[in-house]
């Protein structure tokens, strides 16, 4: 009995042992198997160490340096920040709130959106330049010339980004290497330090950049870019009172400008003989006059979908009035531009923010200077889609599918009364000016609306009556009394009642748009009130529309978003070098007006409506020039082109010029702080020494 | 006898129709007493006892187990509640047990008749409660664990079982913000501790990860919510937001159980704000044009205003719109969009049963819920299969499979946009086609409701397979090895066809389709060793050891097709050409944990538990994968002490619990601890250029686990024979090194233009403390009438104690940009303009100091004090004072040194303040259950108090939305009380055609509203057929019920009218009322 129990218990023990052994073994197995590492497996990650040491990898990385340009820095934010708050632009009717900090220094604080974006865009790409420059010395292969050339591009871009930052913000941190340790207590560098760094980068670029673009890629900068930017940076630095040795930056600026002007062929630089060519559609992608371009997207190329910027530019629409608000959408305006399906000629103009001051308008002597109609649209028209219908039939997309008759307005008595058109025109027709074709470029860019112009006086509505155009935004100037292709006209030259009577279109004298009683400086547009003297009162929404960025050509549209345009935007062009030369000349040795005038004349000459207009009698030819002439010439030539705020800053001209031409901004302008932009709140909130870093006085 | 029994089914077939029901019932019991029967027959005893077992109501109880204590002799009662048992011994103890009833022991001495009455279980102390890697009796719990029974979950019909938990578990905050069928719920346990990590608790179904959303609520046996760290620390990192353990039903030895549950009903009757339309629209429009601001005289005047008299109506409308106005063509967008009632139906069938060795449970569920938008529905098919088999006494194995298939069609749900959109348009053209040109950026969203034009469809297949093997080699020792394998195939198909909204307005009249597929698969492998032993009879030890390995992978693919020629193709005809594109991405995570735990009990009076978990996670930086999470807790059953003897009569239980523990969080994005290089493309000069760029997250090699330390003190009391059952918990949770993705300053570069690089940092410390109370009372218990109540109350205070080492504060939360992180404030705080209201007439001088006028918003500026009319002084943090004024002479009275003619203050984002937090201060659930004879009624009320919501509708107030040619034109809810020179409202600023949201400083502050509310959430009335009646139909339970949900909502704020604040600010898919009728049948 006892034996049996023992036996049993031994068996049991053995069993238990076996089981326990198995269990233990199992547990160990578990531990063994599962003790495989906790390392991550990331198949989409690459090692910087391996990839960026080869020339091809490094070159690929280098392209990032350009990301900050088109669609980021050169877009709405910098577009507004660099131009407004000056003597050129003011609020349109009913928009005295958007950008009021930038436009009129009203309630200007560190939380301004565009300012913060410019800060982020410029600095964002500087890192890529730094990485490119840093890694260039560690490459295991690659041709030395190629490497130098690509490093020169990176240094050029770094210089450009810093030139924007130092102009806008003054003392900023000068970061030249990409340190894995990102200090949260950044310090500012002095303005001379920043300028000398920019200049040293530009000198390197000038020496090492090719005359023609690397890889024949027109986005890439060349020698002339470096020289041009160097002139601009010297001029800007001159405003800070800087000098190199005994030479002031003004002297340097003039030297560099001269060097570029005098050796244009050496550097592949040129100026078009006719101003109309500068913004001609055909010259957008490969602009001979451009020194430095933010290259847009090609909707026909697969690369369209690889856009790396922030957003495609919609800058143009800020400079256009809201036609719907002025005309309504039921009579003479056939295709409301605010509407969902929008307008295939103007795009979607629903912002109405930036209108020219009276000063800017008065800068142009439109009688001789064709820059007026090549810069401002003042005659407004309907468009048809005869080409689109001809090529696609019912497949023509809205809003390209407008028939000729649908685009034609027959004036009724009610319309004539409403718009103050003389009753003799009742029954008259207003025909479309432009006609669009529709081509589907690619799946995401979708439709291109390719414009042609109806010949004046031909009303068949047949494709044969269409002619090609160099620039669809350009309309005949002055608009003939009998032109029946436009429904409204803002006349620069005041028209008399008799002049108006002869015209079947709505006619407004631009002078009548300003409320000069309230603001003699000409920075206030009238409001929509019964007493504004306009018929109807809603015409107070109108103003001349600056069209430089309204790319209206095959490849310039995003047919799925009418607010965005794809054309190249010039960051600097040759004309500016002449202007810098003239400006610098006047700053050196108390100014040489005759020499300065000689720099300005080439710009004025090519702007003449007729070759014979270039003489001193018309005033198109200058014999001597003052600083005011330079300011005016800058305005005529470059208005809107990202320069005016910097120009007033370096000439310390805000106080005087705002007082004279932009009273709206002048009353709030505080010279003790407004010469610099506020340091963005979002940035200050990311660092640990915000108080010490400071806001620039905001 | 065995033979006889075998014959009975044969007999059954031969019996006539009348007898059939009775026989069926016998058949049902057949499996049940297969085993017992054998022993029953073999018994030859000295005593034969028989009798009838009845319940409280005097109804006889079939299926009651009767066992002679200490033997294996037993039987069960028959249909009439009768039993007969023969005992070998003359005397002994009979044990009667039945689910839901208190066990009863009866002493016998010799044979005879013993009729027994069993009463419904009232004590919950002996209920078994699931805890981490094990279970304990409720009486032995040492942590804060709330338990909810399955029947409480099915009380509120719905496809998502978690919705039914709202207000049932003190401390678990549950809200549903969308009325969309299949929409999930938001859950947060005991406040927000983390910033990056989601607040959702860890869900375990029978111990392993599973999908609760598709789980059939009828399959749930119970839900346990582990709230304090001493309970959850065994889950280490995963458990920091609490753990919810769902125990599903399993087959039971004995009778075959068939349940059938169904309901049918309607969703709808949402409360929608009444918008201005018709005359009230006209009135607002006129008011917008009636006044202009005369800046020279600082006065609102009608002089020069565009509207002077009704003859100007045409001017302010514009000719075209005036014509539409005259025709009375106002659109009621809500009516256009929503259907009146949307059907919802649910069918659920479960079958379970088993013998001593093998038990099985199978359920099927079909749920079909229609949404309020046409074409919006949610269908769910799910099944739960469970088999448990005991192969040898020491070896058991089994598996469960939970599978679901969901098809969801989603409609365009933009109700809030539609409501505020211009009502003065024609949705259709004269020819009956939809009007695509509503003008001014107004989209005709009805386009997407045309047949075949638009689709957004999900179909998701999920399956969890959980096999296990359990070995019990010696008494008290169990080794359980189990695997939870999860396979998840989610597909989303979208089609924006010809004529859709996107086609017409955004995509340039190109039809597009896309397929997105997400395959995730992973497994958890756990080995659990449990050893229970006693030392000297009074010391009860349980040791637990666990290894837990998790491996999950995720593969996403997406395909896009554009230029689709006909709507027939939808997503079925991708052409692999230039119009086709595809993407894929991959992520993975692994974690590994070891747990050791000791539970000790001294006579059930002193309870103690201690555990430690070592956890590793792949997402953390390679040198910081591992961390340890200890926990300990103790409980003292005071009522068992001798000195408490005096209270025995009225105090059933009194227990004090104290617990402490650490948990962790490592929930950062996979691949975000190390910066690496990505490959991409860019367009340079109109050509494609391949590029490399650095990934967004900058390496932080110091990143470590975020750790929460929780202390919990709890008291459980049961009084007056379980009439009152009270549980109170107080907790403090401190979380250290909260992980947060900090934006790296852009001066060091950005990831993409204007997109900052990020770094995960352990930057912050948070503290949560709160009080939870659960009170269950049985107010009236009589034979015919019963009234029970349940109250749950939870309050929580949440605070960010520190943020980084620097001066940073008020950081916008990058993970949820609606919120801002501010020291001293709860995690989900709103940081914006605090409004004093609207500047009133008479305050012109004061308003002018801020550059504004009466009718504009009066923004509260921190540190700003009014000294006199038009004179203010602002005191900065460092004490410096700045004067703001428009009248120098007036200001000089306070500071003679002032010289500037005026000094105006510009309100800006610098003046933001914390305007509220989105988490509630407290919430209260109050349930009352009534039973009268066969009727049952349950009324459930819920309150959530103290939370601020950002109500989008407020921001849709756009004064210039009433402008002639506004882009787009707008309307506003009727109850919005806006300011006019004759109506000094403080709710909304001036209605004026020249005023815009951007021209009014502080406008964004309007959105923030007190979202406190009271809700009559649910009323259910049921009727069960009398047992005596249905027994004859071989049915055990037959209950009919009707339920109304969301019957009444009362918001605290007067700014929230016709709105259910539980939606938390959104209105795109309003919450519905629900009315269903249902049926529960148990065979």
């Amino acid at each position: 009995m006892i034996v049996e129990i023992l036996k049993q218990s031994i068996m049991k023990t053995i069993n238990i042992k076996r089981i326990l052994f198995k269990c233990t073994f199992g547990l160990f197995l578990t531990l063994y198997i599962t003790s495989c590492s906790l390392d991550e497996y990331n198949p989409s990650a690459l090692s910087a160490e391996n990839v960026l040491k080869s020339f091809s990898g490094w070159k690929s990385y280098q392209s990032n340096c350009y990301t900050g340009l088109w669609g980021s820095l050169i877009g709405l934010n910098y577009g507004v920040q660099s131009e407004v708050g000056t003597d050129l632009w003011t609020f349109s009717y009913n928009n005295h709130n958007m950008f009021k900090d930038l436009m009129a220094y009203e309630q200007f604080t560190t939380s301004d959106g565009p300012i913060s974006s410019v800060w982020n865009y410029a600095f964002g790409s500087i890192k890529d330049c730094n990485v490119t420059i840093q890694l260039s010395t560690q490459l295991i292969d690659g041709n030395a010339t190629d490497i130098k050339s690509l490093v020169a591009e990176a240094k050029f871009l770094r210089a450009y980004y810093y030139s924007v930052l130092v102009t806008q913000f003054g003392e900023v941190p000068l970061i030249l290497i990409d340190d894995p340790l990102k200090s949260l207590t950044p310090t500012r560098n002095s303005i001379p330090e920043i300028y000398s760094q920019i200049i040293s980068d530009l000198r390197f670029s000038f020496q090492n950049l090719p005359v023609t673009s690397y890889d024949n890629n027109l986005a890439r900068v060349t020698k002339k870019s470096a020289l041009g930017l160097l002139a601009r940076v010297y001029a800007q630095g001159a405003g800070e009172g800087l000098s190199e040795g005994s030479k002031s930056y003004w002297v340097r600026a003039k030297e560099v400008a001269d060097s570029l002007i005098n050796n244009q062929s050496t550097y592949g630089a040129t100026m078009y003989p006719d101003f109309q060519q500068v913004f001609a559609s055909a010259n957008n992608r490969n602009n001979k006059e451009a020194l430095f371009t933010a290259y847009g997207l090609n909707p026909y190329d697969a690369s369209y979908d690889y856009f790396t910027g922030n957003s495609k530019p919609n800058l143009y629409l800020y400079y256009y009035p809201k036609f719907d608000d002025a005309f309504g959408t039921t009579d003479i305006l056939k295709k409301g531009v605010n509407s969902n399906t929008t307008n295939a000629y103007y795009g979607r103009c629903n912002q109405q923010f930036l209108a020219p001051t009276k000063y800017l308008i008065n800068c142009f002597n439109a009688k001789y200077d064709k820059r007026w109609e090549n810069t401002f649209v003042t005659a407004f028209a309907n468009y048809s889609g005869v080409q689109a219908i001809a090529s696609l039939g019912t497949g023509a997309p809205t809003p390209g599918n407008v028939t000729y008759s649908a685009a034609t307005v027959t004036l009724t008595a009610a319309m004539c009364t409403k718009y103050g058109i003389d009753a003799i025109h009742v029954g008259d027709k207003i025909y479309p000016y432009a006609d669009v074709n529709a081509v589907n470029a690619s799946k995401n860019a979708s439709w291109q609306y390719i414009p042609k112009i109806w010949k004046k006086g031909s009303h068949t509505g047949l494709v044969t009556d269409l002619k090609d155009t160099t620039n669809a935004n350009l309309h005949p100037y002055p608009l003939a009394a009998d032109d029946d292709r436009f429904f409204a006209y803002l006349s620069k030259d005041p028209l008399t009642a008799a002049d108006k009577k002869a015209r079947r279109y709505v006619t407004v004298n631009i002078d009548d748009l300003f409320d000069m009683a309230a603001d003699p400086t000409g920075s206030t547009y009238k409001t929509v009130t019964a007493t504004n003297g306009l018929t109807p009162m809603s015409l107070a929404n109108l103003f001349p529309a600056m069209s430089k960025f309204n790319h209206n050509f095959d490849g310039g549209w995003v047919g799925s978003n009418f607010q965005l345009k794809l054309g190249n935007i010039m960051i600097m062009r040759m004309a500016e070098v002449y202007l810098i030369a003239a400006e610098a000349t006047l700053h050196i040795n108390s100014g040489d007006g005759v020499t300065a005038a000689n720099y300005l004349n080439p710009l004025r000459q090519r702007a003449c409506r007729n070759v014979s207009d270039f003489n001193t009698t018309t005033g198109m030819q200058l014999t001597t020039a003052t600083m005011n002439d330079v300011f005016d010439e800058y305005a005529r030539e470059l208005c809107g082109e990202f320069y005016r705020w910097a120009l007033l800053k370096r000439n310390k001209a805000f106080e005087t010029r705002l007082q004279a031409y932009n009273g709206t901004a002048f009353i709030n302008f505080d010279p003790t702080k407004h010469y610099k932009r506020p340091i963005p709140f979002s940035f200050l909130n990311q660092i640990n020494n915000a108080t010490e870093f400071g806001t620039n006085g905001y | 006898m065995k033979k006889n029994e075998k014959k009975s089914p044969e007999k059954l077939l031969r019996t006539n129709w009348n007898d059939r029901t009775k026989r069926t019932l016998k058949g049902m019991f057949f499996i049940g007493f297969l085993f017992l029967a054998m022993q029953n027959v073999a018994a030859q005893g000295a005593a034969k006892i028989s009798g009838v077992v009845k319940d409280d109501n005097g109804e006889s109880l079939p299926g009651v187990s009767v066992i002679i204590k200490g033997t294996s002799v037993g039987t069960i009662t028959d249909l009439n509640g009768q039993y007969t048992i023969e005992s070998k011994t003359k005397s002994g103890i009979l044990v009667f047990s039945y689910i839901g009833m208190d066990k009863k022991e009866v002493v016998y001495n010799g044979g005879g008749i013993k009729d027994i009455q069993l009463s419904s279980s009232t004590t919950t102390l002996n209920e078994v409660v699931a805890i981490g890697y094990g279970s304990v009796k409720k009486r032995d719990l040492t942590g804060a664990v709330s338990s909810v029974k399955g029947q409480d979950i099915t009380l509120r019909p719905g496809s998502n079982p978690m919705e039914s938990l709202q207000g049932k578990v003190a401390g678990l905050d549950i809200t549903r913000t969308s009325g969309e069928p299949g929409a999930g719920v938001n859950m947060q346990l005991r406040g927000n501790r983390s910033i990056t990590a989601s607040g959702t608790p860890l869900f375990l179904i029978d111990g392993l990860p599973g999908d609760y959303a598709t789980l059939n609520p009828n399959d749930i046996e119970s839900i346990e919510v582990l709230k304090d760290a001493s309970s959850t620390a065994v889950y280490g990192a995963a458990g920091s937001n609490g753990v919810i353990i769902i125990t599903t039903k399993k087959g039971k030895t004995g009778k075959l159980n068939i349940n059938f549950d169904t309901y049918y009903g309607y969703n709808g009757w949402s409360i929608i704000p009444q918008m201005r339309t018709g005359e009230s629209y006209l009135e607002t429009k006129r008011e917008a044009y009636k006044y202009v601001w005369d800046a020279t005289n600082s006065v609102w005047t009608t002089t020069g205003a565009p509207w002077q008299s009704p003859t100007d109506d045409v001017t302010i409308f514009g000719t075209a719109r005036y014509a539409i106005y005259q025709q009375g063509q106002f659109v009621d967008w809500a009516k256009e969009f929503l259907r009146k009632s949307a059907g919802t139906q649910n069918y659920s069938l479960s079958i379970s049963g088993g013998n001593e060795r093998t038990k099985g449970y199978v359920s099927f569920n079909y749920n079909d819920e229609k949404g309020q938008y046409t074409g919006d529905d949610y269908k769910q098919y799910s099944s739960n299969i469970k088999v448990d088999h005991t192969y040898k006494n020491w070896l058991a194995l089994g598996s469960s499979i939970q599978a679901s298939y969901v098809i969801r069609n989603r409609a365009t749900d933009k109700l809030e946009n539609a409501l505020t959109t211009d009502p003065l348009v024609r949705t259709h053209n004269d020819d009956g086609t939809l009007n695509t040109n509503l003008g001014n950026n107004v989209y005709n969203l009805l386009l997407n409701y045309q047949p075949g034009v638009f689709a957004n469809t999900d179909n998701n297949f999920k399956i969890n397979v959980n096999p296990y093997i359990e070995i019990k080699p010696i008494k008290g020792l169990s080794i359980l090895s189990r695997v939870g394998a999860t396979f998840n195939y989610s597909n989303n198909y979208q089609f924006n066809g010809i004529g859709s909204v996107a086609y017409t307005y955004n995509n340039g009249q190109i039809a597009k389709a896309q397929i997105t597929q997400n395959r995730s698969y992973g497994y958890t492998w756990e080995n659990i060793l449990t050893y229970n032993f006693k030392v000297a009879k009074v010391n009860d030890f349980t040791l637990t050891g666990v290894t837990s390995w998790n491996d999950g992978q995720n593969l996403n693919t997406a395909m896009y097709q554009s230029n689709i020629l006909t709507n027939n193709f939808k997503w079925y005809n991708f052409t692999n050409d230039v119009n086709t594109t595809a993407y894929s991405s991959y992520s993975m995570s692994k974690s590994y944990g070891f747990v050791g735990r000791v539970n000790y009990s001294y006579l059930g009076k002193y309870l103690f538990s201690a555990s430690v978990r070592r956890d590793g996670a792949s997402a953390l930086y390679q040198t910081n994968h591992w961390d340890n999470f200890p926990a300990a807790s103790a409980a003292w059953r005071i009522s068992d002490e001798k000195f408490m003897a005096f209270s025995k009569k009225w105090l059933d239980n009194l227990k004090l619990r104290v617990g402490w523990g650490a948990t962790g969080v490592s929930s950062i994005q996979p691949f975000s601890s190390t910066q690496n290089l990505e490959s991409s493309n860019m367009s340079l000069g109109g050509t494609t250029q391949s590029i490399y760029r650095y990934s967004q997250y900058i390496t932080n090699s110091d990143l470590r686990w975020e750790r929460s330390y929780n202390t919990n003190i709890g008291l459980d009391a049961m009084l007056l024979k379980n009439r009152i059952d009270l549980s109170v918990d107080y907790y403090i949770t401190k979380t250290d090194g909260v992980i947060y993705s900090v934006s790296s300053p852009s001066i060091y570069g950005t990831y993409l233009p204007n997109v900052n690089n990020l770094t995960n940092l352990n930057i912050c410390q948070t503290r949560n403390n709160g009080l939870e109370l659960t009170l269950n009372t049985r107010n009236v218990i009589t034979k015919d009438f019963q009234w029970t109540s349940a109250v749950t109350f939870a309050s929580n205070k949440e605070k960010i104690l520190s943020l980084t080492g620097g001066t940073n504060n008020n950081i916008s939360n990058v993970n949820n940009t609606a919120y801002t992180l501010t020291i001293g404030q709860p995690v989900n705080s709103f940081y914006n303009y605090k409004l004093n209201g609207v500047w009133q007439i008479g305050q012109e001088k004061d308003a002018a100091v801020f550059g504004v006028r009466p009718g504009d918003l009066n923004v509260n500026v921190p540190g700003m004090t009014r000294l006199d009319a038009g004179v203010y002084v602002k005191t900065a943090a460092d004490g410096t004072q700045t004067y703001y004024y428009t009248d120098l002479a007036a200001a000089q009275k306070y500071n003679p040194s002032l010289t500037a003619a005026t000094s105006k203050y510009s309100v800006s984002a610098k003046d933001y303040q914390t305007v509220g937090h989105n988490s509630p201060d407290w919430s209260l659930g109050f349930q009352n259950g009534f039973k009268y004879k066969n009727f049952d009624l349950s009324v459930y009320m819920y309150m959530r108090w103290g939370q601020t919501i950002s109500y989008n509708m407020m921001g849709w107030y756009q004064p210039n939305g009433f402008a002639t040619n506004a882009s787009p034109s707008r309307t506003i809810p009727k109850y919005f009380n806006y300011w006019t020179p004759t109506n000094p409202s403080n709710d909304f600023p001036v209605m004026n055609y020249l005023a815009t949201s951007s021209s009014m400083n502080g406008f964004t502050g309007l959105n923030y509203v007190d979202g406190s509310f009271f809700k009559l959430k649910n009323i259910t009335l049921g009727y069960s057929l009398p047992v005596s009646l249905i027994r004859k139909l071989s049915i055990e339970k037959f209950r009919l019920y009707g339920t109304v949900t969301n019957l009444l909502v009362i918001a605290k704020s007067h700014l929230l009218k016709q709105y259910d604040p539980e939606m938390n600010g959104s209105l795109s898919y309003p919450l519905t009322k629900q009315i269903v009728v249902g049926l529960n049948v148990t065979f």
Side-chain angles (χ1 to χ4, degrees), chain B residues 295-534:
Chain B
T296 324
N297 302 309
S298 291
V299 67
W300 285 100
T301 169
T302 54
T303 315
W307 191 89
Q308 296 292 338
S309 71
T311 52
D312 294 324
D313 284 348
V314 59
T315 318
I316 63 174
F317 273 104
T319 334
R321 286 169 59 78
Y322 190 61
I324 302 176
Y325 165 75
Q326 283 182 314
Q327 294 157 22
Q329 298 263 11
F330 279 94
V331 181
D332 182 346
W333 284 105
K335 207 172 156 191
E336 294 284 333
F337 267 81
L338 301 179
R339 51 183 166 192
K340 282 206 183 76
S341 54
T344 181
Q345 49 189 311
N346 190 301
Y347 305 92
S348 176
L349 178 72
S350 71
I351 302 159
S352 65
N355 58 32
E356 205 171 57
R357 288 241 179 266
T358 309
K359 293 165 192 122
Y361 179 94
V362 183
S363 81
F364 304 98
N365 179 247
Y366 170 63
N367 184 63
D368 181 351
E369 203 179 334
K370 290 197 167 46
Q372 288 195 93
Y373 294 93
T374 309
D376 203 87
D377 53 53
Y378 180 88
K379 287 195 185 85
Q380 177 182 311
Y381 305 85
S382 64
S383 177
N384 202 4
I385 301 169
K386 224 171 179 181
V387 179
D388 301 287
H389 180 70
T390 309
Y391 177 66
K392 288 270 161 60
N393 285 333
W394 54 272
L395 178 67
L397 44 85
S399 184
S400 69
I401 297 173
Q402 192 205 335
S404 70
Y405 182 64
V406 168
I407 307 170
R408 165 147 91 161
N409 288 301
R410 309 178 76 172
T412 306
D413 57 345
K414 298 266 186 223
L415 183 64
E416 53 196 335
N417 300 39
L419 285 177
T420 48
T421 274
D422 194 355
L424 209 53
V425 287
R426 298 191 55 191
T427 56
H428 291 76
N429 298 315
D430 287 334
D431 61 3
T433 55
L434 283 164
N435 182 3
T436 56
N437 195 359
L438 303 184
N440 294 333
N441 294 329
V442 181
Y443 292 178
N444 193 338
L445 298 175
L446 294 173
L447 288 168
N448 276 356
Y449 294 88
Q450 303 172 96
V453 151
F454 170 83
N456 182 359
T457 300
D458 292 330
N459 68 48
N460 301 334
F461 178 70
K462 288 180 188 176
I463 185 163
N464 292 298
V465 182
N466 307 327
Y468 71 87
I469 181 163
E470 186 177 18
I471 305 164
K472 291 177 176 163
I474 52 170
K475 188 171 180 274
L477 177 66
S478 148
I479 299 165
L480 172 67
S481 181
R482 64 187 181 193
V483 173
T486 306
F487 305 88
N488 193 339
Y489 299 89
S490 310
N491 303 291
N492 173 258
Y493 306 92
Q494 287 183 33
F495 179 60
N496 285 293
I498 296 166
S500 63
V501 171
Y503 174 91
T504 309
Y505 301 116
N506 306 327
N507 290 348
Q509 283 146 58
I510 289 168
K512 295 186 180 184
Q514 74 179 66
I515 301 177
T516 331
Q517 295 180 315
N518 182 352
R519 267 142 290 178
S520 66
Y521 37 97
Y523 68 92
T524 300
W525 180 17
E526 290 185 334
N527 297 290
I528 305 166
L529 186 147
T530 315
Y531 186 42
N532 177 274
F533 59 94
K534 282 190 177 172

Side-chain angles (χ1 to χ4, degrees), chain B residues 36 39 91 98 100 127 232 246 284 326 366 398 445 467 565 611 632 656-657 725 747 793 806 816 965 1021 1064:
Chain B
L36 293 168
Q39 298 153 335
S91 61
Y98 188 79
E127 281 173 5
T232 63
I246 300 174
T284 306
Q326 283 182 314
Y366 170 63
L445 298 175
L565 298 176
S611 68
L656 180 69
R657 293 176 277 109
D725 182 353
I747 56 168
F793 171 84
N816 195 338
N965 224 344
L1021 177 66
N1064 205 22

Side-chain angles (χ1 to χ4, degrees), chain B residues 7 51 178 471 482 491 543 650 677 686 709 885 1051-1052 1057:
Chain B
K7 275 178 193 165
S178 164
I471 305 164
R482 64 187 181 193
N491 303 291
L543 307 179
W650 50 272
L677 210 58
Y709 301 92
Y885 52 88
K1052 181 186 171 195
K1057 283 198 180 118

Side-chain angles (χ1 to χ4, degrees), chain A residues 34 64 107 120 183 340 398 447, chain B residues 442 508-509 592 692 746 748 1001:
Chain A
T34 55
N64 285 313
Q107 312 216 328
N120 289 336
S183 163
N340 300 305
T398 322
W447 299 95
Chain B
V442 181
Q509 283 146 58
Y592 200 8
Y692 297 104
S746 58
Y748 303 117
N1001 278 316

